[in-house]
Amino acid sequence: MARDKLRLPAGDELVCQTPVCCCYSCACVASRRAFCARLCRGETSAGWNCVAWPLVLLWNALLIYCFPCVGVLCARLLRACRGAAAADTSFCGQLALGEGEAEEAEGAIEPADLCQGAVGDCWLVAALASSAEIPASIRNCFLTREYNPRGRYKVRLFDGQMDEWVTVKIDDRVPCQKGTRQPLYMKMHGDEAWAVLLEKAFAKFCGSYANLSGGHAVWAWRAMTGDHVFRLRKRETGWGRLDFKNTPPDEKSGKRACAFFTTAEEYSDRECWVLIQRYLRGTGLLGASGGEDMSGGKKKGAANGRGLNGEALDDNGLVGTHMYSILDAQELGAIPGLRLGGLLGTTRLIRLRNPWGRFEWKGAWSDGAKEWDSHPMVKAWLRPKAEDDGSFWMPWEEFHAIFTCIDVCDRTTTRDLRLEINENIGPCGVVSACVSGVFCFVVGCRGLRTIYGGHTSSSDTKSAKASFCCLQCV
């Protein structure tokens, strides 16, 4: 029977001992497995999806809710038998802090849980704040599904340099200010520990907390989701798209080594506004940043105070070279009840959040600004909160005059279904969550909507053509 021969680099010859027919058989098995995987994800043809959807829903209900529920119960039993956990000695002390850092260090997911600490990782905090608007994007990072009394957690991150998912094991011991229980880096909001743990996972993945200083939100989104990311940069004639690529590690950036490559795509201010709305509506993740001068071409006065780490604040309350997360973009018609606002005047407002949790925009449509009282219907529709929480509204005209870069993550939504453990109702919370999850998945059609109607990340830019439905009349 014929046999295949493989040529080795050194010129030696290696004879494959597997018959050709068996090789073809292995290829067929692999092809069938790949087809079954695509079928279970709803990625095959419409014909196959129509035939197999009952079995696909059953399998995914078991995979998403039932199997994890059993896993959580077994993990609880195992923890009860094993007792207390030892500290993670592979990432502690000066090794975790990194060079140049101080040696004197010892519930529901929402953006308010985040507040940047001493290290300059506003890019990471902004990325997490945008992700927290869609809690599923945060939960998908945690392989450990509930609070672990042993203090050990597993976080899943995507290594773009190796093009594979990796598991980062951490404990709950984080650097704190000497003599206090206040975290030195990410600040906790009440009992919400997910942000602190996720920051530590990124620090371990990158080598140390010091290695988190300075970076790009798109890199963090790529690591959290494994999806396509890109950047829109302002040019003289509009906004140009830059493609993001992970590059081989170097001494300076290590795991965060990356580059942006220019493309021929270019969009006007109006088209850029449409793209922001479309990606937000598709549960994408967006952030914005500017240059040193954040005055928007206006006369710049003396810096109005200092930021969290001594950065100069502009007169309008913004910080140069600082990353803000984009939370919402609303285009509101001037005439309530009629879809004529686009002809007779509109109000375009964009909502951002400072990852510091304070220091906000002070211009038009800021917290408590007179524009809200002048437009009561807009105020009633958006319901702004005059709180010093870092989030604020600003007019689109001011935004595109001030900010120079917009980062975008085209997030896949077909993986958003996940067992949510109701820890606040006691030990039976996981069983309750499993039952309610399966009910909503099957009876409430959540499974059909997510598996067959969800969005899959694409390297292609969404359409920038304005549509009639983009306008909301108030």
Side-chain angles (χ1 to χ4, degrees), residues 60-123:
N60 278 279
L62 294 173
L63 189 66
I64 297 172
Y65 299 103
C66 298
F67 294 162
C69 178
V70 174
V72 169
L73 295 176
C74 293
R76 290 178 179 177
L77 180 62
L78 183 62
R79 287 198 299 266
C81 298
R82 294 177 63 181
D88 181 11
T89 57
S90 65
F91 191 71
C92 62
Q94 189 63 32
L95 177 65
L97 294 174
E99 296 182 2
E101 297 297 312
E103 295 188 34
E104 50 184 32
E106 211 179 290
I109 297 173
E110 55 185 359
D113 297 337
L114 295 127
C115 184
Q116 183 183 349
V119 71
D121 62 349
C122 67
W123 57 274

Side-chain angles (χ1 to χ4, degrees), residues 163-179:
D163 198 28
E164 63 182 12
W165 290 97
V166 298
T167 299
V168 182
K169 298 179 181 180
I170 59 173
D171 59 25
D172 58 1
R173 295 170 174 84
V174 297
C176 294
Q177 298 177 10
K178 187 175 181 179

Side-chain angles (χ1 to χ4, degrees), residues 170-457:
I170 59 173
D171 59 25
D172 58 1
R173 295 170 174 84
V174 297
C176 294
Q177 298 177 10
K178 187 175 181 179
T180 71
R181 292 182 176 270
Q182 294 296 322
L184 185 62
Y185 302 116
M186 188 81 73
K187 308 301 182 183
M188 294 182 62
H189 180 260
D191 295 330
E192 303 295 337
W194 68 266
V196 176
L197 295 174
L198 199 50
E199 184 189 41
K200 182 171 184 178
F202 269 100
K204 186 173 182 179
F205 180 67
C206 295
S208 69
Y209 280 95
N211 289 344
L212 296 181
S213 183
H216 304 285
V218 288
W219 181 90
W221 290 332
R222 173 75 168 156
M224 294 171 63
T225 65
D227 291 328
H228 297 281
V229 294
F230 64 91
R231 167 172 289 177
L232 295 174
R233 176 174 291 172
K234 185 186 294 184
R235 300 173 181 171
E236 293 182 0
T237 57
W239 297 80
R241 168 169 168 153
L242 302 178
D243 284 341
F244 171 89
K245 300 290 184 183
N246 293 100
T247 57
D250 53 41
E251 295 183 1
K252 181 179 180 181
S253 301
K255 283 291 185 183
R256 293 191 295 108
C258 59
F260 292 91
F261 297 88
T262 305
T263 69
E265 296 183 29
E266 189 167 310
Y267 305 93
S268 65
D269 287 338
R270 174 60 180 170
E271 290 174 328
C272 182
W273 168 259
V274 173
L275 285 176
I276 290 176
Q277 284 192 306
R278 288 226 163 97
Y279 278 103
L280 286 174
R281 192 162 55 245
T283 63
L285 307 175
L286 291 91
S289 59
E292 293 285 351
D293 184 0
M294 297 287 279
S295 62
K298 300 178 182 179
K299 186 177 181 180
K300 184 177 174 67
N304 189 10
R306 293 289 174 179
L308 190 66
N309 297 314
E311 299 88 345
L313 296 177
D314 203 343
D315 293 338
N316 56 21
L318 300 179
V319 185
T321 65
H322 189 55
M323 182 73 191
Y324 293 81
S325 53
I326 301 177
L327 308 181
D328 199 359
Q330 296 284 344
E331 185 169 355
L332 307 171
I335 301 180
L338 298 176
R339 306 190 70 82
L340 299 175
L343 298 176
L344 302 180
T346 60
T347 300
R348 296 179 192 165
L349 298 177
I350 187 167
R351 184 179 174 224
L352 295 90
R353 185 181 189 277
N354 188 333
W356 291 342
R358 47 186 171 142
F359 303 115
E360 304 174 4
W361 163 255
K362 298 180 179 180
W365 295 98
S366 60
D367 290 358
K370 61 182 180 180
E371 287 81 7
W372 295 109
D373 296 328
S374 303
H375 299 77
M377 300 194 71
V378 174
K379 183 177 182 179
W381 180 266
L382 299 181
R383 291 181 292 181
K385 297 180 180 179
E387 300 176 355
D388 188 19
D389 57 358
S391 64
F392 56 87
W393 291 92
M394 67 183 301
W396 167 247
E397 293 75 15
E398 296 279 5
F399 174 90
H400 72 68
I402 293 174
F403 290 91
T404 58
C405 290
I406 299 174
D407 294 333
V408 180
C409 174
D410 186 25
R411 200 178 65 86
T412 297
T413 63
T414 55
R415 300 190 297 261
D416 283 356
L417 295 177
R418 184 177 172 88
L419 176 66
E420 298 182 22
I421 301 175
N422 299 326
E423 296 180 85
N424 56 341
I425 65 175
C428 296
V430 62
V431 178
S432 172
C434 178
V435 173
S436 61
V438 171
F439 180 84
C440 294
F441 183 86
V442 178
V443 181
C445 296
R446 183 184 296 174
L448 282 173
R449 294 197 308 268
T450 305
I451 295 175
Y452 295 107
H455 173 70
T456 302
S457 179

